[in-house]
Amino acid sequence: MLDVLIIGCGIVGTAAAHALSRYDLKVTAIDRLNDIAGETTRANSGLIHAGYDPEPGTLMARLNVRGSELTRQLCAKLDIPYKQNGAFVIAFDEGDKKVVEKLYQFGLENKVPDIEIISGEKARELEPRLSGEVICALNVPGAAIISPWEFAVALAETAARNGVTFKLGAEVTGIKAIDGGYSVATTQGEYKAKAVVNAAGLYAAQVHGFLQKPDFKIIPSRGQYYLLDKSAGNTVKRTIFQCPNELGKGIMISPTVHGNLLVGPSSENVDCPGDAATNAQTLAHVWKTAAKSIPGLNMRENIRNFAGVRANADVDDFIIREAAKGFFDLAGIKSPGLSAAPAIAEELVRLMQASGNALAEKAAFTDRREVVRFRYLDAEARAKIIAENPAYGRIVCRCESITEGEILDAFDSPIPPTTVDGIKRRCHAGMGRCQGGFCSPRIIDLIAKRHNIAPLDVLKDREGSYIVTGIKGVETP
């Protein structure tokens, strides 16, 4: 019997796996999809919020501020792209100004460091492209940007190196209480565990419902984005927010940690958790609204539109609790869930200890990770690494200068990718201006050879997302 079974391998589930891997426990993490970070985390804004937005006294507020600091520490240890770029929340009129003043007070109560309200003139000195209509801004120097899917993958890989087992493609179909724990039925067999962690995101209420009637509801909320080319990456240095409203934090404009510019998201409730479709009408609204913050944005620099679906709940706070003896909910983790994830995992450990679990730390724990990123090496370092391994001298993704060596490194990780997007999430291949137009055939070939499958069987991402199609019975070269 397992000590802990974690259901869900998004940012919350992988953070939980990482935190629990520090202890002498037998832990398995499962996910319905075929890779880590395949749902909400893969289409995330990548923002580490400083903690001025949540209402003081809530779990969300406390875990946001704590999680922001833990994220900074983890990114340094696990070699995850991270940049503390700061943020503005801008006001266009007196109504907005009152919101900014309220957020400032929230920030003070939540102990967010170094926040201040600055004039529109001062804001434009710091961000020259900012609209002349801005009358003031909340300046939040502690806000940061990261690569959310790389964060989740790094947490999972480190957990795996510390003994956690990951089983992907295992969708939960039932849960029942048994002597000493729970039996969890999945599409990949049955798991028995003393404790179960429900980190199922969009499906958290459904998973909870297998055991008992849920007292909360998940409301899927879709957000649509523009991703602009690196030629637009220096439009702003900071993340620029408009004032939040009942739909969320509002449409923002932000540099990404990889040098692009991100615009969005929209906020629209959808019936299906998997409905990540985009549409022209909503995207036009996103662009028009964003242009109010930064006039003159050039839509021709857009290289991709995408959408993510967030797990909003009908509860105004995170749902973090022991719902039944040994059954822990980590549910309703909407924004700032990415920022709070390490602190949510820390809270889980506290809850497990309070429930009577004696958690003994391992004598040996791996908390460091290094990744080769060829594009950031100087000429001397490039020459040295190519001499050691010629695969680093073969560029596969020309837009991002990603080498064959980096892709092979991904295959050799504890949780190797099996899809084109799995490669993308680990080493950034296919993320550039051509969006995989040139490198995808080579990546498909590498995946096929590594996993000993035909190119026709290589997936873009989820099950059924075949890239290459052919006529059955006709051999392909």
Side-chain angles (χ1 to χ4, degrees), residues 229-303:
D229 187 53
K230 290 183 177 180
S231 58
N234 291 324
T235 300
V236 290
K237 297 177 183 177
R238 294 162 184 79
T239 300
I240 309 298
F241 292 102
Q242 294 178 8
C243 283
N245 55 39
E246 68 279 0
L247 296 177
K249 290 184 169 63
I251 290 170
M252 57 93 200
I253 299 171
S254 179
T256 73
V257 77
H258 297 294
N260 300 85
L261 191 74
L262 191 63
V263 179
S266 60
S267 181
E268 48 195 309
N269 293 341
V270 292
D271 294 329
C272 176
D275 186 359
T278 59
N279 62 76
Q281 181 178 1
T282 303
L283 287 169
H285 169 72
V286 169
W287 191 266
K288 181 180 179 180
T289 306
K292 185 178 179 183
S293 301
I294 306 292
L297 285 173
N298 185 0
M299 190 182 292
R300 293 175 63 86
E301 294 179 297
N302 182 54
I303 61 174

Side-chain angles (χ1 to χ4, degrees), residues 210-473:
F210 286 128
L211 183 65
Q212 56 187 225
K213 184 178 180 179
D215 56 354
F216 64 95
K217 181 181 179 181
I218 297 297
I219 305 167
S221 176
R222 181 174 63 193
Q224 301 185 39
Y225 295 85
Y226 287 85
L227 180 67
L228 275 60
D229 187 53
K230 290 183 177 180
S231 58
N234 291 324
T235 300
V236 290
K237 297 177 183 177
R238 294 162 184 79
T239 300
I240 309 298
F241 292 102
Q242 294 178 8
C243 283
N245 55 39
E246 68 279 0
L247 296 177
K249 290 184 169 63
I251 290 170
M252 57 93 200
I253 299 171
S254 179
T256 73
V257 77
H258 297 294
N260 300 85
L261 191 74
L262 191 63
V263 179
S266 60
S267 181
E268 48 195 309
N269 293 341
V270 292
D271 294 329
C272 176
D275 186 359
T278 59
N279 62 76
Q281 181 178 1
T282 303
L283 287 169
H285 169 72
V286 169
W287 191 266
K288 181 180 179 180
T289 306
K292 185 178 179 183
S293 301
I294 306 292
L297 285 173
N298 185 0
M299 190 182 292
R300 293 175 63 86
E301 294 179 297
N302 182 54
I303 61 174
R304 187 179 184 89
N305 296 111
F306 66 94
V309 184
R310 300 178 287 270
N312 289 351
D314 59 351
V315 178
D316 290 335
D317 204 353
F318 293 155
I319 303 165
I320 301 174
R321 64 189 182 183
E322 185 176 22
K325 183 64 177 178
F327 186 93
F328 300 89
D329 279 324
L330 308 180
I333 312 298
K334 61 181 181 179
S335 179
L338 174 66
S339 312
I344 291 171
E346 197 175 62
E347 186 77 0
L348 169 67
V349 170
R350 186 192 66 78
L351 286 173
M352 292 183 71
Q353 289 171 328
S355 184
N357 297 280
L359 304 184
E361 291 196 21
K362 292 175 179 174
F365 173 72
T366 300
D367 67 348
R368 299 286 173 175
R369 170 181 174 267
E370 292 183 358
V371 178
V372 173
R373 295 184 176 89
F374 185 83
R375 61 198 180 279
Y376 299 136
L377 300 178
D378 60 28
E380 183 179 352
R382 288 184 177 188
K384 180 180 178 181
I385 200 169
I386 290 170
E388 294 171 352
N389 183 352
Y392 288 114
R394 294 190 285 271
I395 299 291
V396 174
C397 173
R398 290 185 285 178
C399 295
E400 297 294 314
S401 297
I402 308 298
T403 66
E404 182 179 322
E406 291 164 90
I407 294 172
L408 296 179
D409 287 344
F411 285 135
D412 291 335
S413 72
I415 310 172
T418 60
T419 67
V420 172
D421 282 4
I423 292 290
K424 180 188 294 188
R425 282 189 282 270
R426 284 160 178 80
C427 65
H428 211 60
M431 288 278 195
R433 178 178 293 185
C434 83
Q435 288 291 292
F438 286 99
C439 62
S440 287
R442 179 65 179 135
I443 292 172
I444 290 170
D445 181 60
L446 289 169
I447 292 171
K449 288 179 178 176
R450 174 53 67 108
H451 294 289
N452 195 27
I453 58 177
L456 291 175
D457 294 328
V458 175
L459 300 174
K460 179 185 183 297
D461 193 11
R462 300 183 182 189
E463 291 299 326
S465 60
Y466 295 101
I467 301 171
V468 182
T469 59
I471 302 173
K472 188 174 182 180

